[in-house]
Amino acid sequence: MSYILDTEVQTRVIFLDSINAESIMEQDITYPNICYNSYKWYLNIPITCPFGYSMIISLIDAQFPNIFYNIRDGVNNYLHILFGSTNYDIYVPTGQYNIETLCSYINSQLSGMSVTINYVTYTLTFSSTGASFRIYGDSTIGGVIGLNRNSNNTFQTSISFANTLTMPCQFNLSGTPYIFVKILNQTLESLDSGDNNNSISRLDINAPYGHVCFFRPPTIEQYIIHGRTIEMFNIIFTDHHNIPLCLKSSAIQLTLRIQYIRTPSVEDTQIGTIMNTLARNEKLVPYPIPESYDLESEDPKKLGL
């Protein structure tokens, strides 16, 4: 939705650099083994919204490093295999892997089994030299090694035991495809996307691991700020699973834009609705005809017109 920004209040552009921020390492409540950065920028002069107006915030530019591991503890590192009557609970350590290093680690954790790579089809095959096996659907690493997904977003596995199992999909070690920028200390509303969990932008990972991503949205999203004053920005980054990310001591830069719109009146917000039409009809009063008014004498034909 486009907002009519025809007010006389000047637009504000705010440059946020992590070098000027208070960065705190927080522990995720949902995932206690995951820590993440929480950035706080305090403004020298608070931004206040004049009476009768609302503030619109947008992210128009961002720079950040791609240092997000493609295998992360509590996200996609668990492999559950039942080999004969023995359960293998394999947790791949957090890190940046290629397919060779990943398979090497999995093979080091298995006894009587091995994982091989098909470089033509880009698929993995699990093989057993002894008892049959199966891979369970609670394996969070399923999307990495190439398992299909069920309708409930779990991973499909073989129902029966087998001695050889080739993954139905290609392996995928691309990692996090995009991240979200979230402002924690403001309540935001998007009339386009509905509930956005206080996200103001989705940033594409457009650089290889270890390089800097430069992002400028093709379409700038606008969000209404419900507050009347901005004294600081408390910002975190999350992945596509809504799990907070750790950027450690890396440098990031964000450019925010604050614009102003007039707060619409109740009548304006009802334009085009049935209630608005009924209210308008109630206000329509027929024009009274005076008793002395002679309709016949005003007949154009009799007046020779």
Side-chain angles (χ1 to χ4, degrees):
M1 178 176 182
S2 298
Y3 302 98
I4 301 176
L5 303 171
D6 58 351
T7 66
E8 66 281 1
V9 185
Q10 185 176 2
T11 297
R12 302 281 299 271
V13 176
I14 304 167
F15 300 98
L16 302 179
D17 193 315
S18 57
I19 197 173
N20 301 317
E22 177 186 305
S23 180
I24 302 174
M25 293 299 297
E26 305 274 3
Q27 187 177 36
D28 192 350
I29 298 176
T30 306
Y31 306 92
N33 56 336
I34 295 178
C35 292
Y36 63 94
N37 287 87
S38 175
Y39 295 95
K40 294 181 180 180
W41 286 273
Y42 294 90
L43 305 180
N44 293 329
I45 301 176
I47 300 174
T48 57
C49 184
F51 179 77
Y53 294 85
S54 294
M55 290 186 288
I56 300 291
I57 189 170
S58 306
L59 185 141
I60 60 178
D61 185 78
Q63 297 179 34
F64 59 96
N66 177 12
I67 58 170
F68 311 117
Y69 293 134
N70 56 2
I71 300 294
R72 294 165 54 210
D73 188 18
V75 179
N76 60 351
N77 71 322
Y78 174 55
L79 177 61
H80 183 189
I81 297 178
L82 180 59
F83 180 59
S85 59
T86 304
N87 270 301
Y88 282 97
D89 295 310
I90 301 173
Y91 292 91
V92 182
T94 294
Q96 186 70 14
Y97 292 80
N98 57 40
I99 192 60
E100 288 87 1
T101 55
L102 176 63
C103 290
S104 175
Y105 180 82
I106 294 176
N107 283 327
S108 69
Q109 303 299 304
L110 297 174
S111 177
M113 290 184 62
S114 63
V115 184
T116 56
I117 308 167
N118 188 324
Y119 288 99
V120 176
T121 61
Y122 293 97
T123 56
L124 301 180
T125 298
F126 287 73
S127 302
S128 166
T129 58
S132 57
F133 68 93
R134 63 169 298 190
I135 301 175
Y136 277 87
D138 59 350
S139 299
T140 58
I141 203 172
V144 176
I145 63 177
L147 290 175
N148 273 323
R149 286 187 181 272
N150 296 307
S151 58
N152 62 354
N153 214 31
T154 59
F155 292 103
Q156 293 180 359
T157 58
S158 56
I159 299 177
S160 58
F161 287 79
N163 289 90
T164 301
L165 177 62
T166 298
M167 299 294 100
C169 302
Q170 291 83 8
F171 51 80
N172 180 8
L173 284 93
S174 60
T176 302
Y178 48 82
I179 64 177
F180 292 95
V181 181
K182 297 192 175 187
I183 299 180
L184 301 183
N185 64 313
Q186 296 291 335
T187 301
L188 309 178
E189 177 186 0
S190 171
L191 300 184
D192 296 318
S193 58
D195 185 13
N196 63 333
N197 291 321
N198 271 28
S199 300
I200 61 170
S201 187
R202 192 191 80 170
L203 310 182
D204 296 329
I205 306 295
N206 54 20
Y209 178 79
H211 292 71
V212 177
C213 299
F214 296 89
F215 179 80
R216 181 167 293 174
T219 302
I220 297 177
E221 299 291 336
Q222 299 171 321
Y223 298 90
I224 297 178
I225 300 178
H226 283 244
R228 309 299 301 175
T229 303
I230 303 176
E231 296 181 349
M232 57 90 71
F233 291 99
N234 184 10
I235 291 178
I236 65 169
F237 296 84
T238 68
D239 66 3
H240 56 302
H241 298 294
N242 201 35
I243 299 176
L245 292 168
C246 178
L247 287 93
K248 300 181 180 178
S249 58
S250 301
I252 62 169
Q253 294 82 35
L254 304 174
T255 304
L256 304 179
R257 184 175 65 190
I258 305 291
Q259 296 173 293
Y260 300 86
I261 61 170
R262 290 186 174 87
T263 303
S265 64
V266 175
E267 293 181 355
D268 292 337
T269 59
Q270 292 181 348
I271 291 178
T273 65
I274 296 177
M275 296 303 297
N276 178 259
T277 303
L278 294 176
R280 287 173 57 86
N281 290 340
E282 291 178 358
K283 296 179 181 179
L284 296 178
V285 179
Y287 183 78
I289 300 177
E291 296 181 359
S292 59
Y293 191 81
D294 187 355
L295 290 176
E296 187 174 349
S297 64
E298 298 297 329
D299 188 343
K301 293 181 180 179
K302 292 185 176 181
L303 293 174
L305 299 177

